[in-house]
Amino acid sequence: MIRKTVNGVEEATKGIKDNMTFMLGGFGLCGIPENAIAELVRKNINGLTCISNNAGVDDFGLGLLLQQKQIKKMVSSYVGENDEFERQMLSGELEVELIPQGTLAERCRAAQGGFPAFYTPAGYGTEVAEGKETREFNGKMYILEKAFKADFAFVKAWKGDEAGNLIFKGTARNFNPCMCGAAKITVAEVEELVPAGTLDPDQVHIPGIFVQRIFQGKNYEKRIEQRTVRKR
Amino acid sequence: MLDKNGIARRIAKELEDGYFVNLGIGIPTLVANYIPEGIEVEFQSENGVLGMGPFPFEGEEDADIINAGKQTITTMPGASFFDSATSFNMIRGQHVDLTILGAMEVAENGDIANWKIPGKMVKGMGGAMDLVASAENIIVAMMHTNRAGASKLLTRCSLPLTGVNCVKKVVTNLAVLEVTEDGFKLLERAPGVSVEEIKNATEGKLIVGDNVPEMILD
């Protein structure tokens, strides 16, 4: 067994530097790597390019990095819930690349799987296709999209073991599995870290080979963005 | 004339037994409240759930179980969770039968604009571009005119496009229209709405048959 465990978030983020490109899992605030984000804030590294479906809210998630102006560029599909983001974007301090959500997921997975690029119909005939190669297959038009390149991927899982095997919970799975192994170093934080041999190999969602460092996170807030309920 | 719930009720009549359906944010979400009796459909949410159920009871919310609108939800028996790439394989691979979404503008050739207004804060397209580029059947739910009273059914979209030649049907507060090679074909009028009113509210080419029936909602 190849051990992937590290001693907490400080060791897990060893080697991060200014101007790096990071992938961060999560959809809204669901399944975000809370511990890694807090550490990036604490280490105050700057000029970051962040690939993440969303940009957090003002006081949580990637919003915490935006508050300190640590992010140079966001690559996302939807960024609508963050006033500070809006201010920095409109003032030109923050560069933003908006891409279709399925394309975002697939550009991660292409990097994971060793594909340099792929064709997708998403965005054909729109400004997303500008400057991109297009091609017809079976009478339908597609655009060529390239795999991401990133230095670190920070992902969050529910359970993990010493070998880096991961199991996700509910819709907190989202982009996290697609980002594992899609950057030079993948850092997984889990709510519960268990000894090797504890997880049923049949139930593993992401094999440990895609993960370089794993640690048990602390103090998960798991904030709910839109609390919607019905009466009994 | 229909209100938002009326539009959702009319669209729900388009659901067929065995359909997998993706609902956009806004009016489309309301369609889930009007599933016709005797049919089974499953709702897909692109953040990674198939078999979405109603909102949880108070106190039973789970931060790890949300829909694409970031709302807390529940799941139905037979539901599944999956990653974002798999979710869009369902969409791009046309395994999802029907996509219902809102729009700012629809053109008579089926183009749709629903993600960006130049000069205003752009929030992003989310999964809309993947959905409209891939879905076999796309129904748009929207008001027939905007707040200024201008038609949203146009000859050509004026706003940045989300997708081209993709919308199959439009259900508005005034009418049900099919997008055909020749333009918007008027299929039904909303209760109490005349063909004349629909003509006046439609900028794009409108094809009107001899007898346009009024919608039946129940």
Side-chain angles (χ1 to χ4, degrees):
Chain A
M1 193 261 299
I2 299 169
R3 290 178 63 88
K4 303 292 174 67
T5 45
V6 292
N7 261 331
V9 70
E10 196 169 348
E11 193 184 338
T13 51
K14 207 176 142 198
I16 57 168
K17 290 193 197 102
D18 288 350
N19 306 312
M20 278 187 160
T21 297
F22 295 157
M23 290 176 167
L24 298 108
F27 190 101
L29 300 177
C30 182
I32 57 172
E34 293 185 21
N35 282 240
I37 291 169
E39 186 65 6
L40 298 181
V41 170
R42 197 184 71 79
K43 286 194 171 142
N44 198 23
I45 52 165
N46 290 287
L48 303 176
T49 296
C50 291
I51 299 164
S52 167
N53 190 53
N54 312 95
V57 295
D58 276 309
D59 61 346
F60 201 56
L62 289 180
L64 298 170
L65 292 174
L66 286 164
Q67 274 180 11
Q68 296 203 91
K69 302 194 173 66
Q70 290 173 262
I71 302 176
K72 180 181 70 182
K73 182 179 178 182
M74 277 301 308
V75 182
S76 304
S77 86
Y78 191 83
V79 293
E81 352 275 357
N82 193 317
D83 291 337
E84 177 60 17
F85 183 99
E86 184 170 344
R87 195 196 62 71
Q88 289 183 25
M89 180 174 165
L90 293 175
S91 71
E93 292 165 66
L94 179 70
E95 200 184 325
V96 179
E97 185 183 347
L98 292 169
I99 59 180
Q101 197 173 120
T103 300
L104 180 68
E106 205 59 31
R107 287 178 70 185
C108 294
R109 198 163 63 166
Q112 178 191 64
F115 292 99
F118 57 90
Y119 284 100
T120 175
Y124 177 77
T126 76
E127 62 186 61
V128 164
E130 283 170 18
K132 288 173 187 159
E133 208 179 306
T134 59
R135 189 166 160 183
E136 186 187 321
F137 294 93
N138 305 318
K140 184 168 172 155
M141 293 304 294
Y142 296 80
I143 62 180
L144 189 68
E145 293 280 5
K146 290 178 181 155
F148 282 126
K149 284 195 165 96
D151 297 294
F152 279 83
F154 296 107
V155 304
K156 153 83 185 354
W158 176 48
K159 275 187 185 179
D161 69 10
E162 297 166 305
N165 295 309
L166 302 177
I167 294 177
F168 301 90
K169 181 170 164 267
T171 54
R173 192 181 314 191
N174 56 62
F175 286 83
N176 287 296
C178 313
M179 291 177 173
C180 289
K184 287 177 196 156
I185 295 176
T186 297
V187 175
E189 58 182 85
V190 295
E191 289 176 52
E192 192 184 347
L193 185 64
V194 298
T198 313
L199 300 180
D200 176 356
D202 267 337
Q203 304 301 321
V204 168
H205 292 139
I206 280 289
I209 192 169
F210 293 119
V211 174
Q212 278 68 50
R213 303 172 186 172
I214 188 167
F215 69 99
Q216 184 167 307
K218 286 178 189 158
N219 306 322
Y220 281 106
E221 195 174 325
K222 302 219 294 191
R223 210 184 276 189
I224 291 173
E225 219 165 318
Q226 306 282 342
R227 187 179 299 275
T228 44
V229 294
R230 65 188 148 133
K231 293 269 176 230
R232 273 175 206 279
Chain B
M1 198 188 298
L2 300 176
D3 61 6
K4 288 178 178 181
N5 280 295
I7 295 172
R9 265 171 77 190
R10 176 59 191 83
I11 290 178
K13 292 184 67 177
E14 304 285 321
L15 300 175
E16 289 182 25
D17 193 34
Y19 264 15
F20 291 103
V21 184
N22 182 291
L23 300 177
I25 291 163
I27 303 173
T29 307
L30 301 172
V31 173
N33 300 333
Y34 302 103
I35 305 167
E37 266 185 48
I39 72 162
E40 283 286 339
V41 297
E42 269 193 36
F43 293 110
Q44 196 252 19
S45 196
E46 64 269 22
N47 60 314
V49 54
L50 190 62
M52 199 177 11
F55 294 147
F57 289 119
E58 232 171 317
E60 291 179 2
E61 316 87 275
D62 183 341
D64 289 331
I65 302 178
I66 63 166
N67 63 17
K70 288 129 188 166
Q71 298 170 312
T72 45
I73 53 154
T74 58
T75 54
M76 302 295 283
S80 56
F81 296 117
F82 36 84
D83 66 77
S84 299
T86 304
S87 179
F88 282 92
N89 281 4
M90 294 177 189
I91 291 162
R92 217 184 292 107
Q94 299 190 333
H95 307 286
V96 173
D97 299 288
L98 173 64
T99 288
I100 304 168
L101 76 177
M104 298 169 187
E105 296 176 347
V106 176
E108 64 189 33
N109 67 346
D111 288 359
I112 178 172
N114 74 351
W115 76 286
K116 183 175 182 178
I117 301 173
K120 287 202 175 169
M121 169 66 187
V122 183
K123 294 182 170 184
M125 66 290 281
M129 282 194 182
D130 307 89
L131 282 158
V132 301
S134 308
E136 264 179 296
N137 191 4
I138 298 172
I139 301 177
V140 164
M142 66 177 191
M143 293 295 164
H144 211 99
T145 53
N146 64 21
R147 287 203 181 99
S151 180
K152 295 170 73 173
L153 292 109
L154 307 172
T155 310
R156 285 283 170 269
C157 290
S158 64
L159 295 169
L161 295 179
T162 309
V164 293
N165 302 311
C166 54
V167 176
K168 298 288 186 284
K169 214 174 244 186
V170 184
V171 179
T172 73
N173 51 330
L174 303 183
V176 179
L177 308 107
E178 187 186 344
V179 177
T180 69
E181 283 187 4
D182 306 313
F184 296 112
K185 187 179 172 192
L186 181 58
L187 298 182
E188 296 172 20
R189 299 172 288 112
V193 174
S194 69
V195 169
E196 208 53 35
E197 284 173 85
I198 297 164
K199 274 186 185 166
N200 290 338
T202 309
E203 190 237 68
K205 191 177 173 197
L206 188 69
I207 303 157
V208 185
D210 289 339
N211 185 18
V212 180
E214 195 170 281
M215 284 176 206
I216 298 162
L217 284 171
D218 291 306

